[in-house]
Amino acid sequence: MISVIVAVRNGMPWLEEQLRALAEQQCNEPWEVVVADNGSTDDSRLVVREWADRAHMIRLIDASKVRGPGAARNAGVRTAEGELLAFCDADDIVQPGWLAGHVLALADAEVAAGVFDVWSLNGRVPPSPPTPVIIPDAMSQFGFLPAGGSGNLALRRHAFEDAGGFAEEMMTGEDIDLCWRLQLRGHRYVVNADAVVARRDQRGFKGVYTRFTAYGRCGPVLYRRYRADGLRRDLTVAA
């Protein structure tokens, strides 16, 4: 079985679009969607329950005990039934073939980073040809190991548990940290171009400012964690 983990905190109005896209996935493997609610105060929990009544593979768990995206995802994994794990965000939209693509990639790897369509949900003109991108591009930013974003990441449970899951104390960059720990422990990492997610940008000055401020702060955290492994010092942004 493959378990899809969706961490959410106040995911409306976009959450319902993601749940619809997940419910419409076609996959030969049995699968489930675990929505880990991290203390929502909007209608997110109600909407998930409504979708769970319509789509048997969707279920809601309370992941509000510890705040943060890493903690919510770890809580989701603890209740998940699958030996394969996939992660996506509540405000994005997985594309057709996303789940099947990750299942195929994990047949030959322990960690698979999917790619992102960054134009469809953001009013941008796609490149020609429209080529999805890997986010974050940690290899070029850090000159270290590659890493995938938690909005489109899949891995085998044994690798996830071997690495200890997401670092719950990190509010940003926890996906880079996990990918690096996995590779340093010898787990095979691949980029999976067959698993595409349409990514939604932050809107408004406050959202953009908050996100990039957090990214800037996590660079030094990553440096302290990985300087002994060869991470260079000149970090400016983490995703």
Side-chain angles (χ1 to χ4, degrees):
M1 173 178 280
I2 181 165
S3 297
V4 180
I5 314 298
V6 185
V8 62
R9 184 169 186 266
N10 295 335
M12 299 302 293
W14 311 122
L15 173 60
E16 191 159 19
E17 293 184 40
Q18 181 68 297
L19 293 176
R20 180 178 294 107
L22 287 167
E24 292 175 352
Q25 291 290 301
Q26 300 292 319
C27 185
N28 291 330
E29 296 290 328
W31 57 284
E32 63 175 350
V33 177
V34 180
V35 182
D37 183 75
N38 198 226
S40 293
T41 56
D42 63 2
D43 289 335
S44 293
R45 296 172 68 91
L46 174 62
V47 166
V48 176
R49 290 192 185 101
E50 290 175 348
W51 271 93
D53 289 339
R54 288 182 250 169
H56 71 279
M57 77 287 293
I58 296 174
R59 60 187 173 93
L60 174 71
I61 69 158
D62 182 2
S64 61
K65 185 175 181 180
V66 180
R67 289 293 175 88
R73 295 188 197 103
N74 287 345
V77 171
R78 285 193 293 270
T79 69
E81 299 179 6
E83 289 302 313
L84 304 181
L85 307 170
F87 299 91
C88 60
D89 288 342
D91 57 347
D92 296 334
I93 301 178
V94 299
Q95 299 300 284
W98 174 77
L99 193 59
H102 272 318
V103 170
L104 184 62
L106 291 178
D108 193 39
E110 285 77 44
V111 192
V115 295
F116 292 87
D117 160 1
V118 297
W119 53 84
S120 295
L121 302 181
N122 302 306
R124 298 176 186 162
V125 177
S128 182
T131 305
V133 298
I134 180 73
I135 298 174
D137 188 359
M139 187 68 166
S140 62
Q141 290 172 350
F142 297 129
F144 192 51
L145 298 170
S150 54
N152 191 358
L153 189 67
L155 56 161
R156 292 187 168 273
R157 179 186 285 271
H158 74 84
F160 183 86
E161 293 176 347
D162 179 52
F166 288 98
E168 297 187 0
E169 70 276 13
M170 296 184 70
M171 296 297 107
T172 309
E174 75 285 350
D175 43 12
I176 298 174
D177 172 73
L178 177 60
C179 287
W180 286 354
R181 277 188 283 124
L182 286 160
Q183 291 171 85
L184 289 170
R185 296 183 71 86
H187 297 290
R188 184 165 184 254
Y189 168 98
V190 297
V191 174
N192 180 12
D194 293 324
V196 182
V197 168
R199 185 175 189 261
R200 195 183 308 274
D201 287 346
Q202 289 285 342
R203 303 295 173 89
F205 174 80
K206 182 179 180 181
V208 173
Y209 177 81
T210 300
R211 169 173 281 187
F212 280 91
T213 297
Y215 288 161
R217 288 174 178 165
C218 89
V221 174
L222 290 169
Y223 173 69
R224 288 193 295 271
R225 286 174 176 244
Y226 295 99
R227 59 187 172 184
D229 297 301
L231 179 60
R232 70 189 187 209
R233 188 169 185 171
D234 54 330
L235 308 181
T236 57
V237 68

